[in-house]
Amino acid sequence: MIDYNPKAWFTFIFRFHKGDTVRKLFPMFIALSAYSALVAFLELELLKLSPNSDLKQITLIHSLLGFVISLLLVFRTNTAYDRWWEGRKLWGALVNNSRNLALKLNAMLPASNTASREFFRIMIPNYAFGLKNHLRNLYQPEEFQQADSMQLQQDKHVPNQIAAKIIAHVHELYRQGQISGEQLLSLNPELLSFTDICGACERIRNTPIPFSYSVFIKKFIFFFVMTLPLGYVFTLHYLIIPVVVFIFYVLASLELIAEEIEDPFGFDANDLPTDTISTNIRKHVGEIL
């Protein structure tokens, strides 16, 4: 995720960062410039069409469709941002529940039980790192801190394996009489929340926007922009070249941004800082326990 100062206007305007859509769309800018120049040359120089040509009436269609495409793109970006923000809330809940679980265990466990304290100090943050990589379809054992019985199978659901070990250890403490039944019930919401958060993140990652909807928006933008020079060239002449490029930049950028943030758990510039969040969980849980 990009860290930035939201008040630095001029920095935003004149700097091209990794997530800037200009880099991705630049080849299309060149192609559209050549296409618009060719249309302008054919209509103005070669065919010498009159400004009152029937082709000019196509601008009326663009006026009507402009409102429709704006509604579609607003809905598209809002839907994508909702997914991004829900993902951020889920990881915020993971931070809070990890701290709460550590605080409760710190208060419940006897000071002499250093083995269990060390187990939870290691395994609670390991769950965050396991979930982070699980959502990226990765397995990076070097990010885990090792604890007793830390035997994970790469081909199985890693977060579930870690959560199962944490819950099993808590129940073992109950059977040993080191925590009471009331304390076990008190720990239960945080223990169950890990799997709930994982399932909600998987729902976001595994349920993209419907294919037909995504294809329709892309086709709509393409044909809308490609037909712009046909009518507006009589009014703008060769200025149609930068105008078409700018309109395409605005419309296509909204779609690209929506595509990037609708799956917020990857490595894109605007994805959630799950690496930083996982590191902070390890730091804070370590301080508590």
Side-chain angles (χ1 to χ4, degrees):
M1 186 175 180
I2 299 174
D3 293 323
Y4 67 96
N5 178 8
K7 299 180 180 179
W9 277 54
F10 291 103
T11 302
F12 293 155
I13 295 172
F14 297 109
R15 185 183 69 181
F16 294 96
H17 53 80
K18 181 181 177 182
D20 203 313
T21 54
V22 172
R23 298 177 183 272
K24 301 176 183 178
L25 296 175
F26 189 76
M28 285 297 297
F29 293 165
I30 301 299
L32 279 174
S33 297
Y35 168 76
S36 301
L38 177 61
V39 171
F41 175 78
L42 290 176
E43 293 190 11
L44 298 176
E45 308 295 342
L46 190 61
L47 301 176
K48 298 185 183 299
L49 297 178
S50 168
N52 296 322
S53 172
D54 291 339
L55 280 175
K56 190 174 182 179
Q57 304 307 314
I58 199 173
T59 57
L60 298 176
I61 300 176
H62 287 101
S63 299
L64 295 173
L65 293 180
F67 177 72
V68 176
I69 199 171
S70 63
L71 288 179
L72 286 172
L73 289 174
V74 166
F75 176 77
R76 176 77 170 97
T77 52
N78 284 346
T79 302
Y81 182 77
D82 284 344
R83 294 161 62 91
W84 185 92
W85 184 240
E86 184 182 0
R88 182 61 187 91
K89 289 194 293 184
L90 289 168
W91 273 82
L94 181 63
V95 172
N96 293 338
N97 290 330
S98 297
R99 292 172 179 170
N100 288 333
L101 180 59
L103 288 168
K104 289 181 179 181
L105 289 168
N106 181 57
M108 296 174 184
L109 291 174
S112 59
N113 192 348
T114 56
S116 292
R117 288 176 174 272
E118 182 68 7
F119 175 85
F120 290 117
R121 184 192 68 79
I122 291 174
M123 295 300 287
I124 294 174
N126 278 352
Y127 185 87
F129 282 92
L131 177 60
K132 167 181 71 76
N133 292 321
H134 171 71
L135 295 173
R136 295 173 175 176
N137 293 319
L138 297 174
Y139 179 72
Q140 296 180 322
E142 66 276 5
E143 292 189 347
F144 293 132
Q145 292 182 349
Q146 296 301 311
D148 293 340
S149 72
M150 181 67 178
Q151 301 294 329
L152 300 178
Q153 300 181 35
Q154 179 179 353
D155 58 336
K156 294 185 178 180
H157 198 286
V158 173
N160 278 354
Q161 296 179 63
I162 299 175
K165 293 180 184 297
I166 294 174
I167 294 175
H169 197 91
V170 170
H171 281 266
E172 181 62 27
L173 291 173
Y174 170 70
R175 285 190 290 270
Q176 294 174 1
Q178 298 199 40
I179 61 173
S180 65
E182 291 79 6
Q183 290 173 329
L184 179 61
L185 291 176
S186 175
L187 294 172
N188 198 52
E190 283 75 22
L191 296 174
L192 295 181
S193 70
F194 287 171
T195 303
D196 292 339
I197 291 170
C198 177
C201 290
E202 289 173 335
R203 169 175 51 80
I204 295 173
R205 184 197 63 179
N206 297 330
T207 312
I209 186 173
F211 176 78
S212 298
Y213 188 82
S214 180
V215 170
F216 175 73
I217 291 180
K218 291 177 174 60
K219 289 182 178 180
F220 197 166
I221 293 174
F222 176 79
F223 288 111
F224 183 86
V225 173
M226 293 297 286
T227 54
L228 279 174
L230 299 177
Y232 284 96
V233 71
F234 299 107
T235 303
L236 300 174
H237 300 283
Y238 285 98
L239 284 176
I240 193 65
I241 298 172
V243 169
V244 167
V245 170
F246 179 73
I247 293 175
F248 176 75
Y249 166 69
V250 173
L251 300 179
S253 292
L254 290 173
E255 173 65 11
L256 282 178
I257 293 170
E259 287 179 355
E260 182 175 327
I261 67 174
E262 70 179 356
D263 180 7
F265 307 118
F267 296 98
D268 292 329
N270 292 303
D271 283 343
L272 296 174
T274 51
D275 292 287
T276 303
I277 295 174
S278 300
T279 301
N280 287 337
I281 290 175
R282 176 167 287 166
K283 174 185 176 183
H284 298 153
V285 171
E287 291 172 353
I288 294 170
L289 290 173

